Amino acid sequence: MTPLHYGAMLAARYAPRIAARGRFGTGVRYASAVTPQQESQIRKTFLDFQSHASFLENPLIMARSERMAYWDTSGKRYFDAIGGIFTSSLGHQHPAIVDALKRQIDTMTFTPPMHSISQVSLDFVERLGQVAPGDLNFVKSFCSASEAMECAIKWTRSYHKLAGNPGKYKFVSRYDSWHGATAAAVAASGGAARKSPHEPHMPGFLKVPTPLYLRDRLDWTWEECNRFAAQMFEDTIVSEDPATIAGIIVEPISNTAGIMTPTTEYMEILGRIASKYDVTLIYDETVTGFCKTGNMFSAQTFGVTPDIIVCGKGLSNGAMPLSAMIASERMASVFQNNADPSLMFAHGQTFAGQPLGCAVGLAVLHEMTSRNLATRAVEIGAGLRARFDTINQDLGCFKEVRGQGLLLGVELTDGKEKWGALGAELKKTAIQNGLILRADGAGWFAVAPALCAEDADLDELAEKLQRSLTVARDNIASR
């Protein structure tokens, strides 16, 4: 079966479920009505990166999902243009993934991590290593990518100590980045809004600007901005003393920087810098991994293999919490000196390597590889770009479309400069029009629809997007 026919096959498999459950309505409303009990429940937890007051102004409480749609508790349907949040890459409630989870539930749900490891976890380790680039075949799974990034940071520091370089403990990453919510991961991140409330952070984490930062301030070509931005990693390493630098951490394509997509040369320069100074190169592929960019990992898309990949989100299609750190065999060998039986990596978590997540991960990898869905990502991306061109011909508010495969970001403009207000308003009008995408006040939006998307799905996405942008622009003009 070709990737082109994959969406049609899934639609046929979903159809009996949809028919059995009945279709929910599609009336235009902003969000779910909230009962007093629900409001009380909401106030007993916190919402990710938003206040109770702002959420309760327009609350959204989901009831179910199917393929590329959500329905809220009152029955309104929402087209999911971003896989929940770069996660449900095969479509919600994918039959093969649900079936794999059910089978594992009936077999074994947990193993004691300090005494044993499950066979399904070992199978998962082997399979994920097989699809990773180069010699990256040493795998440890966790529940979230934040945990996997935390592990990668500790692993890198431990590696350098065992390799005879105990002074290497610092990491260089980028501003406008996000690497997770745990202590070391957030210290490695570069966005003030998510970091400042938790200051002071642990020391040893340095930042350099992105190529986009330079593009917006200097009259340079994009290639020149990338070369200079990449060189800043080396300048920082030299200034800080290479003997103190353990690693470089980057998202190959940066989500929080607006799907900032560097040149291949930029990634090549980082690879050379890491090798020159014996610095561990870590790719955070939480967003970019699992076929979105036209390959299993964006490391393969750029053709530059790191020492470690941190991944999550699409690895489980959202069916179970699952992430992984994938390290090179060269690094792993340092921890496996048989002459010293006490040698180990001092790290562990209760739910690391848990059987349910690993079973789901195996099923996801099987679907992606057997269906050649990386190729389908390129086809979907081309279809999206064509539709975005049409929208921009009508509205004229797109400065740039960037990204790889189906992972795309669009920078918004008022004709002169980045239009932050339109991004903020789009976040509201998109939900009003039944569209879920990534948008905020930074003047850009992002989409990454599921790999099962067909032309009709892309048409719906484009129609809802154009309507939402039009309303957002009119709302701003009327103020």
Side-chain angles (χ1 to χ4, degrees):
M1 178 179 296
T2 65
L4 187 61
H5 296 116
Y6 180 66
M9 180 276 291
L10 278 184
R13 294 186 66 181
Y14 279 120
R17 297 184 180 196
I18 296 173
R21 294 180 182 181
R23 293 192 177 274
F24 282 33
T26 58
V28 175
R29 252 185 328 93
Y30 185 72
S32 317
V34 174
T35 67
Q37 180 184 13
Q38 287 172 327
E39 180 172 349
S40 174
Q41 292 169 332
I42 289 167
R43 292 189 180 279
K44 291 175 182 175
T45 187
F46 64 85
L47 296 311
D48 288 9
F49 302 111
Q50 56 186 315
S51 69
H52 289 87
S54 61
F55 181 79
L56 286 169
E57 283 181 7
N58 295 289
L60 180 56
I61 303 175
M62 297 302 192
R64 73 175 184 91
S65 60
E66 198 84 49
R67 195 172 172 270
M68 297 179 67
Y70 283 101
W71 287 263
D72 68 19
T73 50
S74 61
K76 181 179 176 180
R77 178 182 176 275
Y78 299 82
F79 183 93
D80 184 3
I82 202 164
I85 182 167
F86 306 109
T87 299
S88 297
S89 299
L90 297 173
H92 300 292
Q93 306 301 111
H94 189 288
I97 310 308
V98 172
D99 290 346
L101 179 57
K102 289 178 178 178
R103 286 194 302 272
Q104 187 60 44
I105 287 174
D106 290 337
T107 304
M108 179 172 61
T109 60
F110 185 77
T111 51
M114 295 185 68
H115 301 78
S116 67
I117 188 169
S118 68
Q119 184 59 54
V120 68
S121 180
L122 291 174
D123 292 341
F124 172 76
V125 164
E126 180 178 49
R127 187 66 184 120
L128 187 54
Q130 288 171 346
V131 300
D135 73 337
L136 272 66
N137 54 31
F138 188 91
V139 175
K140 182 67 174 180
S141 70
F142 300 95
C143 292
S144 72
S146 297
E147 296 168 3
M149 178 57 72
E150 204 83 6
C151 177
I153 290 168
K154 293 169 68 175
W155 169 273
T156 298
R157 286 176 171 170
S158 296
Y159 163 79
H160 284 298
K161 287 180 179 179
L162 292 173
N165 299 298
K168 284 181 170 287
Y169 76 98
K170 299 174 188 173
F171 292 84
V172 187
S173 56
R174 292 186 300 224
Y175 289 109
D176 295 323
S177 64
W178 179 247
H179 298 294
T182 50
V186 76
S189 302
R194 294 182 178 185
K195 291 183 60 178
S196 296
H198 311 296
E199 297 279 3
H201 293 292
M202 63 175 64
F205 292 90
L206 313 166
K207 310 292 187 305
V208 298
T210 68
L212 272 180
Y213 177 88
L214 300 177
R215 185 210 68 178
D216 291 343
R217 290 160 177 81
L218 300 171
D219 187 22
W220 289 358
T221 66
W222 180 237
E223 289 72 21
E224 290 170 334
C225 290
N226 275 265
R227 291 187 197 111
F228 192 90
Q231 183 60 41
M232 292 187 77
F233 279 91
E234 182 169 19
D235 294 345
T236 301
I237 290 170
V238 171
S239 298
E240 290 284 330
D241 182 359
T244 69
I245 306 298
I248 291 172
I249 303 174
V250 293
E251 301 167 279
I253 297 175
S254 180
N255 170 32
T256 51
I259 313 299
M260 192 279 295
T261 308
T263 62
T264 297
E265 183 186 19
Y266 175 96
M267 303 303 292
E268 291 170 345
I269 293 172
L270 292 191
R272 290 196 294 268
I273 292 170
S275 297
K276 181 177 179 179
Y277 296 102
D278 190 20
V279 168
T280 300
L281 182 57
I282 303 171
Y283 285 180
D284 184 346
E285 295 234 29
T286 305
V287 171
T288 56
F290 306 106
C291 294
K292 294 185 188 77
T293 67
N295 287 280
M296 186 61 70
F297 294 100
S298 64
Q300 294 148 325
T301 300
F302 284 103
V304 181
T305 301
D307 300 297
I308 296 175
I309 286 177
V310 169
C311 58
K313 290 189 182 290
L315 180 54
S316 72
N317 201 48
M320 280 293 296
L322 182 65
S323 65
M325 181 197 77
I326 315 172
S328 70
E329 188 175 337
R330 174 185 58 82
M331 293 186 74
S333 65
V334 174
F335 294 91
Q336 298 179 5
N337 183 352
N338 293 329
D340 183 0
S342 67
L343 187 64
M344 65 174 180
F345 175 50
H347 185 73
Q349 292 177 239
T350 300
F351 290 103
Q354 46 93 9
L356 294 178
C358 291
V360 165
L362 279 168
V364 168
L365 294 175
H366 175 74
E367 284 293 307
M368 289 183 171
T369 54
S370 65
R371 310 284 185 186
N372 193 20
L373 295 185
T375 299
R376 183 61 185 143
V378 175
E379 296 168 349
I380 293 171
L384 285 170
R385 285 177 179 272
R387 288 164 174 82
F388 288 171
D389 286 345
T390 300
I391 293 173
N392 200 36
Q393 288 172 11
D394 292 339
L395 301 182
C397 59
F398 293 177
K399 178 177 180 178
E400 179 182 44
V401 179
R402 49 191 180 237
Q404 294 276 6
L406 58 70
L407 175 61
L408 298 179
V410 177
E411 185 173 328
L412 300 168
T413 180
D414 60 4
K416 297 180 180 179
E417 57 188 21
K418 187 180 294 184
W419 200 354
L422 183 60
E425 192 67 22
L426 174 62
K427 184 175 182 178
K428 302 174 184 178
T429 59
I431 293 293
Q432 181 180 0
N433 285 298
L435 177 64
I436 295 177
L437 44 68
R438 173 83 158 87
D440 54 27
W444 58 272
F445 70 87
V447 298
L451 291 157
C452 60
E454 298 180 284
D455 282 347
D457 300 308
L458 302 186
D459 288 342
E460 181 180 0
L461 189 162
E463 185 276 326
K464 289 181 179 293
L465 174 61
Q466 181 158 355
R467 189 192 330 156
S468 300
L469 283 165
T470 301
V471 174
R473 191 176 61 178
D474 293 346
N475 288 348
I476 293 171
S478 66
R479 289 173 186 158

